[in-house]
Amino acid sequence: MVHEERLQIVAIMENVEKACEFVAKFARDLGFSEEMIHRCWISVDEVCANVIEHGYKENGHHEVIDVICHTDANLLIITFMDDSTPFNPLIKDDPDPYALLEDREVGGWGIFFVKKFMDNVTYRYQNNRNHLILEKYYSH
Amino acid sequence: MYRFVHVEIRLYIRKVAVERMLEVNVAGLEKATLIEVNGRVDSMTANQLGEALSSPIDDGHVNIVLDLAGVDYMSSAGLREIIAALKKVKRASGDLRIAQPSNRVMEVFEMAGIDTLVRIFATRLEAVASY
């Protein structure tokens, strides 16, 4: 049976925690361990913050981010949709954890963490919206 | 040596910021500045960590111990502040050392290679005494 829940937040940093709590509750109800829930939380935090900061350029008071959680077999699927300029965050090269301090940018780790914490991350632009889809396997 | 440092910490800790979720205490010690952070360092609160680190550095206190015992969550926004502060102190011939990161915080440090850039200590006393 497909189980789906949706949340829409106004795209400001103050609301990121609501999106994290929403996904954490969904994951907890599926029986995720606290460690896996923590990884989901960080991933949601990073994705939403990225959209707010870079997509809406911290001017999202009249913009939204939709978050949809659903399951497919033993897969938790978290979809984020926003209306900012089309941008695939996955095309950027991963930062180098072995880089020297002088060669490093200060930021750029958010999407890298999402890719590490999730089992699959994909992007598509559809119906004039950015879609970022995070997938995490779990056992029943 | 340890007892002396302990007394210093108890006497000179002052609260500089209690804002929403993050609490930051700063102690000026003989050889370093101890910054103790409590709370979740995320996209909402990371700027408070940045301010707590910048303030003593901008005042010329460039040997920093960042005590993260009270931090159970850190996102990339927190890492960004730490890397920025590290660059700043290194440019001023200082250093930033970290004490007591939780397992969860250590995990993100290792993923980003922070543990290869920063000396990390199991206790704040060891971190302070390393200067």
Side-chain angles (χ1 to χ4, degrees):
Chain A
M1 189 179 80
V2 175
H3 177 206
E4 180 179 302
E5 289 184 20
R6 291 167 174 259
L7 174 77
Q8 185 174 79
I9 59 167
V10 173
I12 55 176
M13 287 297 184
E14 287 82 350
N15 289 335
V16 171
E17 198 171 359
K18 287 182 196 167
C20 295
E21 283 169 355
F22 165 73
V23 173
K25 183 183 181 309
F26 193 94
R28 189 170 285 116
D29 290 346
L30 291 175
F32 274 48
S33 68
E34 285 306 312
E35 216 40 57
M36 288 300 108
I37 291 168
H38 171 71
R39 291 173 177 205
C40 289
W41 188 294
I42 284 202
S43 301
V44 177
D45 185 348
E46 300 292 0
V47 170
C48 290
N50 204 51
V51 170
I52 291 167
E53 193 175 342
H54 302 296
Y56 291 130
K57 304 195 185 311
E58 306 216 25
N59 194 25
H61 283 83
H62 301 291
E63 307 288 354
V64 297
I65 301 171
D66 286 295
V67 187
I68 302 171
C69 289
H70 75 278
T71 55
D72 185 358
N74 60 338
L75 202 57
L76 164 62
I77 303 167
I78 313 163
T79 304
F80 299 85
M81 295 179 291
D82 70 80
D83 304 293
S84 63
T85 307
F87 177 68
N88 178 359
L90 306 177
I91 56 170
K92 198 180 168 202
D93 288 341
D94 288 339
D96 178 8
Y98 303 104
L100 298 172
L101 182 64
E102 53 267 34
D103 297 330
R104 287 180 181 235
E105 301 286 335
V106 293
W109 293 97
I111 295 299
F112 177 78
F113 288 165
V114 176
K115 288 195 270 189
K116 290 286 180 189
F117 282 145
M118 293 289 122
D119 292 317
N120 196 25
V121 184
T122 53
Y123 169 86
R124 67 171 183 265
Y125 193 74
Q126 188 177 20
N127 300 328
N128 299 317
R129 304 194 88 189
N130 291 297
H131 291 62
L132 193 68
I133 301 117
L134 280 47
E135 297 179 340
K136 187 75 185 169
Y137 286 99
Y138 68 99
S139 52
H140 291 282
Chain B
M1 173 63 182
Y2 284 175
R3 207 167 93 187
F4 169 75
V5 172
H6 184 61
V7 170
E8 288 276 304
I9 292 167
R10 287 175 62 89
L11 288 178
Y12 293 106
I13 281 181
R14 69 189 165 94
K15 194 166 283 185
V16 295
V18 181
E19 197 180 325
R20 216 167 158 252
M21 289 164 65
L22 211 59
E23 181 182 317
V24 179
N25 298 310
V26 179
L29 307 179
E30 191 183 356
K31 291 183 179 173
T33 298
L34 174 65
I35 302 175
E36 178 193 271
V37 181
N38 295 289
R40 298 170 68 83
V41 183
D42 59 17
S43 43
M44 261 306 286
T45 60
N47 62 325
Q48 295 169 41
L49 172 62
E51 284 164 18
L53 288 165
S54 288
S55 183
I57 296 169
D58 292 345
D59 288 342
H61 304 290
V62 293
N63 288 332
I64 305 287
V65 170
L66 180 61
D67 185 345
L68 296 176
V71 175
D72 63 348
Y73 178 96
M74 184 174 293
S75 71
S76 68
L79 279 191
R80 186 165 53 193
E81 300 297 343
I82 290 174
I83 294 171
L86 187 60
K87 282 178 176 267
K88 230 173 180 178
V89 293
K90 290 285 189 183
R91 276 198 299 268
S93 303
D95 202 8
L96 187 156
R97 298 172 187 174
I98 291 174
Q100 330 191 69
S102 66
N103 290 341
R104 285 179 174 176
V105 171
M106 197 61 204
E107 183 181 31
V108 298
F109 282 171
E110 287 171 353
M111 285 167 63
I114 298 297
D115 56 322
T116 66
L117 303 174
V118 178
R119 292 178 67 186
I120 298 176
F121 296 86
T123 69
R124 71 158 73 174
L125 295 182
E126 286 174 271
V128 169
S130 71
Y131 281 104

